[in-house]
């Protein structure tokens, strides 16, 4: 099963850095404008999907993101991520919001 996510950022640079992190881990991320139903400071987001059957490959809790109990967890060491939403048939479900 593939779960899809959208990550929004406070800056365009954060989106580019995140997309590079995905690419380094063998995941295709698409940098694109933020959907209207989600807000963003910079207007740029990254959309990507993770095959949950490969979840053992994403257990490093020091990485920018990792999987735990079949849920995506975030380590935002650069304070660039505004929010993360899981994409579903019903719409978007926010799973992470930056601390104010």
């Amino acid at each position: 099963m593939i779960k899809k996510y959208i990550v929004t950022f406070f800056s365009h640079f954060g989106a580019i850095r995140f997309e590079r992190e995905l690419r380094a881990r063998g995941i295709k991320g698409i940098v694109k404008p933020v959907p209207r139903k989600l807000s963003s400071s910079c207007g740029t987001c990254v959309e990507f999907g993770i095959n949950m059957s490969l979840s053992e490959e994403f257990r490093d809790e020091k990485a920018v993101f990792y999987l735990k109990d079949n849920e995506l967890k975030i380590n935002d060491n650069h304070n660039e991520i505004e929010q993360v939403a899981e994409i579903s048939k019903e719409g978007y479900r926010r799973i992470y919001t930056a601390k104010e």
Side-chain angles (χ1 to χ4, degrees), residues 2-20:
I2 295 177
K3 285 190 177 182
K4 291 189 177 185
Y5 300 94
I6 286 185
V7 183
T8 64
F9 301 87
F10 293 113
S11 71
H12 182 72
F13 180 76
I16 299 303
R17 185 194 312 251
F18 189 83
E19 188 276 332
R20 287 181 183 158

Side-chain angles (χ1 to χ4, degrees), residues 1-3 5 22 25-28 48-60 65-72:
M1 175 174 125
I2 295 177
K3 285 190 177 182
Y5 300 94
L22 290 174
R25 297 180 81 184
I27 299 171
K28 182 180 179 180
F48 67 101
I50 296 179
N51 186 336
M52 299 310 277
S53 65
L54 303 176
S55 63
E56 288 300 317
E57 296 179 23
F58 303 105
R59 297 285 183 201
D60 181 3
F65 70 90
Y66 62 97
L67 295 171
K68 185 173 183 178
D69 301 324
N70 273 346
E71 288 292 327
L72 185 75

Side-chain angles (χ1 to χ4, degrees), residues 39-92:
S39 64
S40 173
S41 296
C42 75
T44 304
C45 71
V46 175
E47 182 177 323
F48 67 101
I50 296 179
N51 186 336
M52 299 310 277
S53 65
L54 303 176
S55 63
E56 288 300 317
E57 296 179 23
F58 303 105
R59 297 285 183 201
D60 181 3
E61 294 187 15
K62 294 178 184 168
V64 133
F65 70 90
Y66 62 97
L67 295 171
K68 185 173 183 178
D69 301 324
N70 273 346
E71 288 292 327
L72 185 75
K73 305 292 182 183
I74 300 296
N75 284 325
D76 187 15
N77 298 327
H78 299 288
N79 296 317
E80 295 173 331
I81 297 173
E82 179 185 31
Q83 66 182 326
V84 179
E86 183 178 344
I87 303 170
S88 70
K89 292 176 186 176
E90 294 79 32
Y92 302 104

